[in-house]
Amino acid sequence: MIRRPPRSTQSRSSAASDVYKRQNLSDSKKNLIFGKLKPEFNEINHKKYPNLNDTQNLAVNRALAAKNYFLIQGPPGTGKTSFVIKTIISEIYYNSNDKILVLAYTK
């Protein structure tokens, strides 16, 4: 028999809020995390990646211009994971010392 741990009465957003309260984050980072501030962008480069279509190229260039974060979402089969994310990761990996956090949920 598999026993599950008891469910907490604390909501997910409340739990997330508690985690961030314990971090030494600036108010601006907290506001970004909770969606109170919009992401900021540097000037967008219009580099053309030959393996991507126009929409994918725009997503990659906007993601690379993001100062703090960039969200890519869209319907299945549009190349988000297989093309766009791989291109962004390789660009950052080979051309900067920035840190990369990629979260992807696929069915």
Side-chain angles (χ1 to χ4, degrees):
M1 178 191 323
I2 298 174
R3 294 181 189 226
R4 293 184 180 187
R7 288 192 174 188
S8 171
T9 57
Q10 186 178 28
S11 72
R12 285 184 190 169
S13 90
S14 174
S17 180
D18 285 350
V19 168
Y20 293 115
K21 283 179 188 172
R22 291 184 179 95
Q23 302 295 318
N24 291 326
L25 296 176
S26 67
D27 286 341
S28 63
K29 284 199 180 189
K30 288 178 188 175
N31 288 332
L32 276 170
I33 290 167
F34 289 106
K36 294 179 180 179
L37 287 178
K38 292 183 179 185
E40 296 178 3
F41 296 89
N42 293 314
E43 187 174 331
I44 296 175
N45 182 359
H46 294 284
K47 183 174 178 180
K48 189 83 167 157
Y49 298 91
N51 59 324
L52 303 180
N53 65 35
D54 290 341
T55 304
Q56 292 168 335
N57 268 298
L58 179 61
V60 168
N61 284 305
R62 289 194 70 203
L64 293 171
K67 288 184 178 181
N68 34 42
Y69 74 94
F70 188 75
L71 173 66
I72 297 174
Q73 61 183 21
T78 55
K80 294 177 302 295
T81 304
S82 56
F83 297 107
V84 174
I85 299 298
K86 288 179 184 177
T87 304
I88 293 167
I89 290 170
S90 67
E91 252 331 284
I92 293 171
Y93 182 80
Y94 291 112
N95 297 312
S96 79
N97 291 322
D98 290 345
K99 294 180 182 177
I100 307 169
L101 171 65
V102 176
L103 304 171
Y105 172 77
T106 58
K107 288 186 176 184

